Amino acid sequence: MFILTIYYPCAECHGASKLYIGALFPMSGGWPGGQACLPAARMALDVVNKRTDILPDYELELIYYDSMCDPGEATKLLYDLLYTEPIKIVLMPGCSSVSTLVAEASRMWNLIVLSYGSSSPALSNRQRFPTFFRTHPSATLHNPTRVQLFQKWKWTKIATIQQTTEVFTSTVDDLEVRVKEAGIEISVRQSFLTDPAVAVKNLKRQDARIIVGLFYETEARKVFCEVYKEKLYGKKYVWFLIGWYADNWFKIKDPSINCTTEQMTEAVEGHVTTEIVMLNPETVRGASNLTSQEFIAQLMSKLGGKNPEETGGFQEAPLAYDAVWALALALNKTVGPLKAKGYQLEDFNYNNKDITAEIYRALNTSSFEGISGHVVFDAQGSRMAWTLIEQLQGGSYKKIGYYDSTKGNLSWYGNDRWIGSRPPADQTVVIEEFRYLSQKIFVSISVFAGLGILLGFVCLTFNVYNSNVRYIQNSQPYLNNMTAVGCIMALAAVFPLGIDGLHVHRRQFPVICQFRLWLLGLGFSLAYGSMFTKIWWVHTVFTKKDEKKDKSKHLEPWKLYTTLGVLLAIDILSLIIWQIVDPLHVTVEKFTKEAPKGDLDVLIQPLLEHCSSEKMNTWLGVVYGYKGLLLLLGIFLAYETKSISTEKINDHRAVGMAIYNVAVLCMITAPVTMILSSQQDASFAFASLAIVFSVYITLVVLFIPKMRRLITRGEWQSDAQETTKTGSSTNNNDEEKSRHLERENRELQKIIEEKEERVSELRNQLSERQALRSRRRASILTNQNYSSSSNTIPYRDPRSLAPPPGYPTSISDIPPIPLSFGNSSSLYQPDSQISRNNYHTSHLQLLYK
């Protein structure tokens, strides 16, 4: 280390008493502010020592060391300053950490401490630092500005990351108190000593958006290198930094980081700085008779053309300049009061409290226009000043506005909008968005449902109009009517199934839920219940044993209607209980948040409305279980009765086919719609198409064949008209049987004629043989006396073998009959209708011949 003593020789200074100032200028370290502040202080001393109206009998001399902004190094240097001649009347430290050490120890030597570059809020404590003053405002002066910005941009959650030093810790403590009073929360608070990697990762993990960073310039480069790695920058992040870094601090090559200049530039883009106004924006000549522009020009000359952006402390140089002036003016003010007390400034020693008290009093009442603006100290010895707000845009800082903490006034440049883009949110903005059914799907399926309803009305009208036709009567038209009505109701349920919050208000949605449930429930009960009733009674009546079949052959209609009524009553009762005990209401399902393209500050929260109840799964289990058993039983009954033919319910085979289709579709649709309940389009399409297909199949299978038969055969007459016209039934089965019997009788007649001819031939041959045998016996037995009638078998006409009319034929007299004759079931009668069990006796006689 070396000591530089600066003299200012001039004619007027010869014989003047020297007053020594002990200073610590950090030429390196966390804040190398001495690089520009030292030349500024020397400029001020030069002007002061030349002024004859300020300390005319004294010369100020500066003795300084490089503290490297390190408290440990500063301790050693402070010892050298205090215990090395000459005596220093005032101490001027720079960094907050160094100033804290110096200010706390100086009270023991009755020394005034005047800092030009300390912003720690901890220094604003008169009990701990009774003789401390500073031309650099407290860092807490940034906090009112920050709070004003948080409120203006409606941020309610912020995060902080700080270097673990007293200046930054106390600043964060003060900020926490202020934001709490403003209703703002510090959700994340991170700190680090030398390596900020873990702290930055924690900010990322906890989704910090608005981040206040408090650290020295060298640590700032480390922080933003980690920020780049963690991608904690961009449109949805805002960083608030200290404004007293060099303008190109992020471009300075630093061997302690492994990020390029381009990466650093990308990471720091858009951050906001708050810094004390350190250069008077107005063209005003103050105590030094220099304007701020003239001061900058002279300072640039002193720096020898060195780039200001690469010179540490360039922004704080006006504060160092004004610090020397504040000290000179205060010492000048104490000359008179000290002379009255018999003291002079050169009499100062570390035990003289009177001189220290006068200097303190003079500094405490200081007020003058300096290069940095109006210089005045508050009760804690801190400078009161305006705050400048800047934002880094395109690699350079641009002014946004000013904040006057004494008046609470926030003023802007041009407008109050965020420069370059709108301010982001302090956290992810979640926008709730309801998912509604696709209108294309709804309209398309509704068209098919509407056509199905029209088809249902056509089938119903047809069935009602032709209910007197025998063929329609034998299909139980009233049950068919119930099937058509049930199909219409089921199709009508498609429309409330597709209605959601897009069409009705949420308060009205429970009514839609009730419509869905009742239309679909009653529609199924009527449509499927009618078909199930038919197939049930066909199985009950026509699959009994032969001995019971005759007793059960007559099927009373009231039994059919009673069965359907029981099924319908069960459904109505269960629906009523459900609605009373656990009524349906609207529930909202939340899905995983989605990030839309182009806006990183917003997440979409998809929502879907459901009709549900508290114990929805229980009710669905009961309903699905009951309906499932009916469907399975219907399939079984349809299979069992597939080969039965009956005139009482002549369309039971078509009913069985409809039951097969409905059962399969329902058993597939029920579980699939439960799985797809979170996908409104797929769920609606699957459920509604299952309803549409079931109804279409049912209507086509049950009613279209009836229409076709009546249209193609012209069977539109009632049963009475048909009887008068033909005198006989026109039942399709009877006609087929009649034609079949006619063919059989014609074939049998031909066979009988052939057999009769053969029988005649055989009888003739038998007669001839008998006659020959008689003649032979007569010649041999001449001596015996036989009657001619006993010895000769007379010839008999074959027709004489037939019994008299009305008498049965003796079995012994009938020759063997071929098996085909014995199995013949009927003969033809041209004058009347016959069946297999009803033959005329004359044909039987002819057959057995």
Side-chain angles (χ1 to χ4, degrees), residues 763-774:
R763 288 185 184 277
N764 289 335
Q765 292 177 6
L766 180 61
S767 298
E768 291 176 357
R769 289 179 180 179
Q770 288 178 346
L772 180 60
R773 189 182 297 114
S774 297

Side-chain angles (χ1 to χ4, degrees), residues 12-27:
E12 293 81 7
C13 295
H14 292 302
S17 300
K18 291 185 178 182
L19 300 177
Y20 296 95
I21 304 170
L24 297 174
F25 286 96
M27 309 304 291

Side-chain angles (χ1 to χ4, degrees), residues 20 46 119 213 225 250 302 362 392 410 461 538 543 575 643 699 800:
Y20 296 95
D46 189 19
S119 60
C225 184
F250 50 90
K302 291 288 184 180
L392 188 69
L410 188 63
T461 304
V538 169
T543 58
L575 291 176
S643 60
L699 295 176
S800 66

Side-chain angles (χ1 to χ4, degrees), residues 87-120:
I87 293 175
K88 287 75 180 177
I89 194 170
V90 172
L91 297 178
M92 290 182 61
C95 295
S96 294
S97 57
V98 173
S99 296
T100 301
L101 171 69
V102 173
E104 196 164 22
S106 62
R107 62 189 300 177
M108 306 305 297
W109 283 267
N110 296 309
L111 280 169
I112 297 293
V113 179
L114 178 58
S115 176
Y116 56 88
S118 301
S119 60
S120 174

Side-chain angles (χ1 to χ4, degrees), residues 140-152:
T140 57
L141 197 62
H142 297 262
N143 290 338
T145 307
R146 292 169 180 147
V147 173
Q148 285 289 323
L149 295 176
F150 298 158
Q151 291 178 324
K152 178 174 181 58

